[in-house]
Amino acid sequence: MQLDPARGYDLIGDIHGCANTLVHLLERLGYRQQGGVWRHPRRMAIFVGDLIDRGPRIREAVHLVHDMVRAGEALCIMGNHEFNALGWSTPAPPGSGRQHVREHTPRHARLIGETLEQFAAYPGEWRECLAWFYELPLFLDAGHFRVVHACWDNELIEPLRRQFPDGCIDEHFLQASAVVGSFACTVLDRLLRGTDMRLPHGLSMTSGDGFTRSYFRTKFWEESPQTYGDVVFQPDALPELAAQTPLSELQKTELLKYGAEQPPLFVGHYWRSGTPAPIRPNLACLDYSAVMYGKLVAYRLDRETCLDPRKFVWVDVDKPEVPR
């Protein structure tokens, strides 16, 4: 996608229904509401996905971002929560062993529950939102920078780009993702959820949201990791035994790499904390746990190829969000 090099771009992290905080952040970035749309005279916002679920003002957040995109004042890519909403609402293909692309388990119901409740009185709007989610690309490659919700994997993005040049999938591709091991399943899992690895020694761990798993999220940029603890990238720490376990040579070679020579990459998804800063000179995560009373974070990108810690802007999330 060719973007206007004369404009600056404000990359904004996972919102998860924190609409009031988004308004505070846009004001801090110099955007003003004109004709019902938030606009900046020289800049454009780019949202990294996960507009919905968990937060107190999901419907308002979706409308705000949708209206900016429609007016040409913003771009937005798909997050795993938008994909989850499409999967929840879409029948699975015959032979997949499922009724829906995203199975209606109690855990999945809990994750999407706030969104469905807040749209319950507006079923027509919800249908329009689901249709719009198909217009959100899985990635953005502007040449001098890239955006993806969780993980940039060129070996998957290139064949996906040949099938969908604009990065926007269709319902057929969504349904194909219900088949474990399919190209569609692999693409959506990798780009929207990231890379993972099984815990060693048959261990499992329970995350902060009470979900027990035997896999953990991994970094996709570490140059020379030696142990499991060197590649973990999630808010929940590994069990000490797992963290100290050495990686095998095969595991090291199979880890995905995002090289230091590649364009700056912006992701969300990973629930970071602390003071926003680049992970590497060409990599930034903008998800700082806004919906868990963390920070809603933006990065003000111009033409730099080396990310500058001074260009992060954020708003601390009120507990709870104070109505405007």
Side-chain angles (χ1 to χ4, degrees):
M1 179 179 293
Q2 295 297 314
L3 299 181
D4 182 359
R7 294 192 81 167
Y9 295 95
D10 297 314
L11 290 297
I12 297 176
D14 304 33
I15 298 164
H16 282 303
C18 295
N20 284 352
T21 306
L22 175 58
V23 167
H24 296 326
L25 180 61
L26 289 171
E27 289 174 338
R28 184 164 293 181
L29 292 168
Y31 290 74
R32 296 294 179 262
Q33 199 171 32
Q34 300 172 355
V37 176
W38 288 88
R39 307 172 189 268
H40 194 286
R42 296 175 303 280
R43 305 185 69 83
M44 173 182 278
I46 300 179
F47 297 93
V48 303
D50 279 8
L51 311 179
I52 65 170
D53 294 345
R54 296 193 170 104
R57 293 172 178 82
I58 295 162
R59 180 170 165 262
E60 293 91 328
V62 171
H63 279 298
L64 190 158
V65 174
H66 170 272
D67 292 349
M68 288 183 72
V69 172
R70 281 284 187 263
E73 299 295 330
L75 298 170
C76 182
I77 64 168
M78 185 182 290
N80 61 301
H81 284 258
E82 286 75 45
F83 164 68
N84 290 347
L86 289 172
W88 177 271
S89 308
T90 304
S96 66
R98 304 181 185 183
Q99 288 189 314
H100 294 84
V101 173
R102 182 161 172 87
E103 295 174 293
H104 288 196
T105 65
R107 179 173 182 268
H108 293 169
R110 187 170 69 251
L111 286 173
I112 199 172
E114 286 287 346
T115 298
L116 297 179
E117 181 178 337
Q118 292 178 39
F119 276 96
Y122 309 93
E125 284 187 18
W126 181 233
R127 288 192 295 272
E128 291 172 1
C129 286
L130 291 170
W132 178 57
F133 291 165
Y134 277 113
E135 299 178 27
L136 305 181
L138 296 183
F139 63 91
L140 172 63
D141 189 346
H144 64 293
F145 70 95
R146 294 168 171 171
V147 190
V148 71
H149 185 66
C151 176
W152 189 277
D153 186 337
N154 233 37
E155 291 189 4
L156 294 175
I157 287 174
E158 286 310 311
L160 178 69
R161 199 196 306 253
R162 290 193 290 272
Q163 187 174 352
F164 300 104
D166 60 0
C168 298
I169 63 170
D170 56 21
E171 185 174 330
H172 177 74
F173 194 86
L174 181 93
Q175 288 183 307
S177 73
V179 180
V180 176
S182 67
F183 175 67
C185 177
T186 303
V187 164
L188 289 161
D189 189 60
R190 177 63 57 85
L191 272 57
L192 300 185
R193 296 193 177 96
T195 56
D196 57 29
M197 183 179 290
R198 183 181 287 276
L199 285 160
H201 316 303
L203 293 170
S204 62
M205 58 185 294
T206 301
S207 64
D209 61 2
F211 183 60
T212 300
R213 52 171 63 87
S214 58
Y215 286 82
F216 66 97
R217 291 174 182 163
T218 56
K219 299 174 183 176
F220 56 90
W221 60 85
E222 197 69 18
E223 294 295 342
S224 56
Q226 301 301 314
T227 67
Y228 280 72
D230 291 337
V231 296
V232 64
F233 189 49
Q234 60 182 28
D236 304 296
L238 295 184
E240 191 62 27
L241 175 61
Q244 295 178 357
T245 300
L247 295 168
S248 69
E249 291 305 313
L250 178 61
Q251 286 174 316
K252 293 177 187 178
T253 60
E254 289 180 341
L255 286 169
L256 187 65
K257 301 289 195 303
Y258 189 80
E261 76 288 351
Q262 298 195 66
L265 172 65
F266 297 90
V267 301
H269 189 59
Y270 292 104
W271 297 83
R272 290 173 68 75
S273 60
T275 301
I279 294 171
R280 283 176 39 173
N282 69 333
L283 175 62
C285 176
L286 300 174
D287 181 7
Y288 277 76
S289 310
V291 77
M292 299 301 291
Y293 312 115
K295 297 174 172 62
L296 186 59
V297 175
Y299 182 88
R300 312 213 79 179
L301 180 71
D302 295 293
R303 296 293 296 181
E304 68 267 26
T305 57
C306 183
L307 300 182
D308 184 346
R310 296 168 298 181
K311 298 187 74 173
F312 286 85
V313 179
W314 62 87
V315 173
D316 292 304
V317 181
D318 296 336
K319 187 176 183 177
E321 279 201 327
V322 176
R324 291 178 61 81

